[in-house]
Amino acid sequence: MNIKENIESNRLNFWEKLYLPEIAKGMASTFKAMFEPKFTRSYPEEKMTPSPSFRGRPVLVLEEDGERCVACGLCSRVCPALAIEVQAAETDRDKERYPKLFEINMLRCIFCAYCEEVCPEEAIVMSKDYELVFTSQEDAILPKEKLLVPIEELQDRLEWLRQYK
Ligand code: SF4
Ligand code: SF4
């Protein structure tokens, strides 16, 4: 189709130039949709229950004797957004090393789950937490204390990982 034919085919006809039939068609479509099943949710009154495959904010697994993390730094290395900072220190526990400092900058995190994938200890996992609110840039840098989540609350994600990883 050349340019002239293209212009001709895009010309409005008489009824289209009036606009009223098109408005009526739009209104009819809206009216019909009012009686169709809803796919929206009245958040925050109606919360979503994510499935185990959901990628919420990354968290650290907390066991009875402390964090699982051995501060190997792999998650920090692999993070494409450079969102993770880990500083290791020695400990007298069986694991020998622990993260003296572990921070995730949630303004940088893109929820890619690479950190979870690379972790040799299953110590960092994607949680179901999707409600993230910060009032300043500093607030968005989550320290270890805010990242640690008891292992019981992460069981379904850990089981899902064992199945698919
Ligand atoms: S989910 Fe991705 S972007 Fe977020 S901390 Fe992990 S590796 Fe970095
Ligand atoms: S969370 Fe996993 S990958 Fe990251 S430093 Fe700890 S043990 Fe290593």
Side-chain angles (χ1 to χ4, degrees), residues 56 58 75 78-84 104-106 108-116 124 126:
C75 54
V78 82
C79 177
L82 305 177
I84 303 178
I104 301 184
N105 185 340
M106 291 311 300
R108 284 177 169 254
C109 178
I110 52 169
F111 302 85
C112 64
Y114 283 2
C115 49
E116 177 188 68
I124 186 165
M126 305 307 280

Side-chain angles (χ1 to χ4, degrees), residues 5-17:
E5 283 168 345
N6 198 6
I7 292 168
E8 284 302 319
S9 70
N10 284 330
R11 265 194 220 288
L12 299 180
N13 63 31
F14 173 74
W15 291 107
E16 284 168 341
K17 278 183 191 164

Side-chain angles (χ1 to χ4, degrees), residues 78-100:
V78 82
C79 177
L82 305 177
I84 303 178
E85 178 157 3
V86 189
Q87 278 176 24
E90 303 248 322
T91 165
D92 47 13
R93 281 164 47 195
D94 294 345
K95 286 173 182 166
E96 293 179 13
R97 277 156 55 105
Y98 81 105
K100 184 174 66 171

Side-chain angles (χ1 to χ4, degrees), residues 140-160:
I141 301 172
L142 302 182
K144 192 170 81 172
E145 296 68 42
K146 288 195 179 165
L147 292 171
L148 287 169
V149 173
I151 190 167
E152 299 78 38
E153 293 175 28
L154 302 168
Q155 272 314 331
D156 52 354
R157 180 68 184 189
L158 289 165
E159 273 160 32
W160 183 85

Side-chain angles (χ1 to χ4, degrees), residues 3-69:
I3 297 172
K4 200 176 166 199
E5 283 168 345
N6 198 6
I7 292 168
E8 284 302 319
S9 70
N10 284 330
R11 265 194 220 288
L12 299 180
N13 63 31
F14 173 74
W15 291 107
E16 284 168 341
K17 278 183 191 164
L18 279 182
Y19 291 111
L20 290 173
E22 297 306 309
I23 291 171
K25 260 197 244 172
M27 297 295 282
S29 173
T30 307
F31 188 73
K32 203 171 124 211
M34 281 165 64
F35 301 99
E36 285 173 3
K38 273 201 304 176
F39 292 99
T40 50
R41 187 185 299 273
S42 299
Y43 180 82
E45 288 81 14
E46 283 177 50
K47 303 251 190 220
M48 177 179 80
T49 309
S51 69
S53 61
F54 183 79
R55 291 193 215 153
R57 77 175 174 101
V59 295
L60 289 175
V61 178
L62 176 64
E63 293 181 305
E64 261 180 30
D65 60 342
E67 66 272 79
R68 248 190 200 182
C69 174

